[in-house]
Amino acid sequence: MSQGVLGVISTPKALYFALVEDGAVLDTSPQKVEVPDHLQSPASLDALATEMRRQLAPIRVPSAAILVPNEYGGAVKATTARVGAETVFRMVMNVMGVQVDLLNRKRARSLMGLSQKGLLDDLVKELLPAAVGKYWSEGRRLAAFAAMAADKGA
């Protein structure tokens, strides 16, 4: 089992993942799992769980961290998809024996020594300027930040 941490960030359309080991972001799969149909049906929940189990099975880490937003705003459909996808992820990881922490942004900033002022995305771009793998600007940069912060807080 790796001693790394899997960082996760969710959007209404996808979950983005970044694996961090020894302070370094690894270019490894999975990097993204799409959220089907905004999770509007039981079949889409099952499809997401199945796809997560398939893609996450090779990842052997003791812990994962979801970087949660300050608040879940926006349309009900988008919020349902985002919270639902995070919940499915937590359930899949629980079955795999992986501890999942919900990491709020204020705590993550503190753990990483970042200012509480300014846009988090801008601060993280300074901390992690070089892309590692695909989907870096879509969400993996923040997923990597979550994993690094969780690792420091462990």
Side-chain angles (χ1 to χ4, degrees), residues 13-144:
K13 295 184 179 185
L15 288 165
Y16 295 94
F17 304 97
L19 181 61
V20 171
E21 277 188 14
D22 299 322
V25 182
L26 304 182
D27 185 7
T28 186
S29 293
Q31 296 185 5
K32 175 184 176 182
V33 172
E34 292 189 14
V35 176
D37 187 34
H38 285 91
L39 298 180
Q40 294 298 299
S41 70
S44 60
L45 284 164
D46 187 51
L48 179 60
T50 299
E51 184 62 15
M52 278 193 204
R53 282 191 296 271
R54 185 184 73 74
Q55 288 201 40
L56 294 169
I59 302 291
R60 303 279 185 227
V61 293
S63 64
I66 301 172
L67 185 64
V68 296
N70 293 328
E71 61 181 57
Y72 290 92
V76 171
K77 192 178 203 180
T79 301
T80 299
R82 194 169 181 176
V83 173
E86 290 172 359
T87 302
V88 170
F89 171 78
R90 291 171 66 198
M91 292 172 64
V92 168
M93 291 291 94
N94 183 59
V95 170
M96 293 172 63
V98 176
Q99 169 69 36
V100 178
D101 295 316
L102 299 177
L103 184 61
N104 73 54
R105 291 166 186 242
K106 184 175 182 176
R107 173 124 171 90
R109 285 176 185 241
S110 177
L111 288 167
M112 295 301 291
L114 298 180
S115 170
Q116 295 296 326
K117 296 182 181 187
L119 293 175
L120 179 61
D121 201 42
D122 291 342
L123 297 171
V124 174
K125 282 178 187 174
E126 290 178 23
L127 182 69
L128 298 167
V132 179
K134 298 178 183 177
Y135 315 114
W136 197 242
S137 62
E138 289 90 339
R140 286 196 62 246
R141 182 190 325 261
L142 287 173

